């Protein structure tokens, strides 16, 4: 399954023409599941980070609120108040929508480098870009490992 997911994350082969419709749907459903799992993990990490911040300060509260960072958070709050939560939520996409948009997007040429494509489009598909980093690093063949085992077998004999 990792090889098929890697093929789906290669933008040149994302339509998976070598699979049946049922298998293609299953792979895309798995991508949606992986994206959702990645989002849940990121939310849990953020929650853990927020819990650690107050204990990490350890000093008086005036030192925490002073400095340039307080101005940036004040701007965020003012913009949130002005535009509302719906504005920022409308920009964020859920994992299913991200996968659907990725599949509907046009395919690059076969000569293009998928890693360069992901680097250029990682802001459009943030969850899929992180998955691509995981799955596109898988070697396409097991030849290097076979060579090592063959060499080790010859040394033992």
């Amino acid at each position: 399954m990792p090889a098929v997911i890697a093929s789906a994350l290669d933008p040149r082969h994302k339509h998976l023409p070598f699979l049946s419709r049922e298998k293609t749907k299953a792979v895309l459903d798995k991508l949606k599941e992986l994206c959702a799992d990645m989002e849940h993990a990121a939310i849990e990490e953020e929650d853990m980070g927020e819990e650690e911040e107050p204990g990490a300060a350890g000093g008086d509260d005036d030192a925490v609120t002073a400095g340039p960072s307080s101005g940036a958070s004040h701007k965020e709050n003012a913009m949130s108040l002005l535009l509302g939560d719906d504005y920022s939520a409308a920009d964020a996409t859920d994992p299913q929508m991200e996968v659907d948009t990725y599949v509907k997007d046009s395919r690059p040429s076969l000569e293009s480098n998928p890693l360069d494509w992901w680097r250029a489009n990682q802001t459009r598909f943030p969850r899929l870009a992180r998955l691509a980093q995981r799955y596109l690093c898988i070697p396409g063949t097991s030849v290097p490992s076979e060579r090592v085992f063959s060499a080790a077998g010859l040394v033992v004999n």
Side-chain angles (χ1 to χ4, degrees):
M1 188 68 165
V4 177
I5 291 174
S7 295
L9 289 170
D10 186 336
R12 301 170 300 173
H13 309 293
K14 64 183 170 187
H15 295 106
L16 304 171
F18 49 87
L19 293 178
S20 67
R21 286 184 190 234
E22 295 82 23
K23 289 184 181 181
T24 300
K25 185 179 178 336
V27 170
L28 294 179
D29 288 342
K30 182 66 175 177
L31 272 180
K32 291 175 185 179
E33 180 184 324
L34 289 171
C35 283
D37 290 346
M38 185 170 286
E39 182 173 305
H40 294 304
I43 290 171
E44 288 175 7
E45 286 177 10
E46 286 177 10
D47 289 343
M48 289 177 62
E50 289 175 3
E51 291 173 3
E52 293 174 7
E53 284 178 14
D60 50 351
D61 293 334
D62 294 336
V64 174
T65 58
S69 63
S70 64
S73 65
H74 177 68
K75 287 180 184 177
E76 283 181 2
N77 292 337
M79 291 299 284
S80 296
L81 286 173
L82 178 65
L83 300 173
D85 292 332
D86 293 337
Y87 185 79
S88 61
D91 187 36
T93 60
D94 62 320
Q96 288 79 18
M97 188 177 217
E98 185 174 327
V99 172
D100 291 339
T101 305
Y102 166 69
V103 172
K104 290 177 185 174
D105 198 28
S106 64
R107 212 175 6 198
S109 69
L110 289 175
E111 291 81 29
S112 65
N113 183 345
L115 299 178
D116 291 338
W117 188 92
W118 278 112
R119 193 172 300 115
N121 291 289
Q122 70 183 5
T123 56
R124 290 179 57 207
F125 309 109
R127 295 172 199 91
L128 286 172
R130 282 185 276 159
L131 282 175
Q133 288 175 345
R134 286 185 187 173
Y135 283 93
L136 292 180
C137 67
I138 298 172
T141 179
S142 64
V143 171
S145 61
E146 293 295 329
R147 286 184 187 148
V148 171
F149 286 121
S150 296
L154 292 173
V155 168
V156 170
N157 287 333

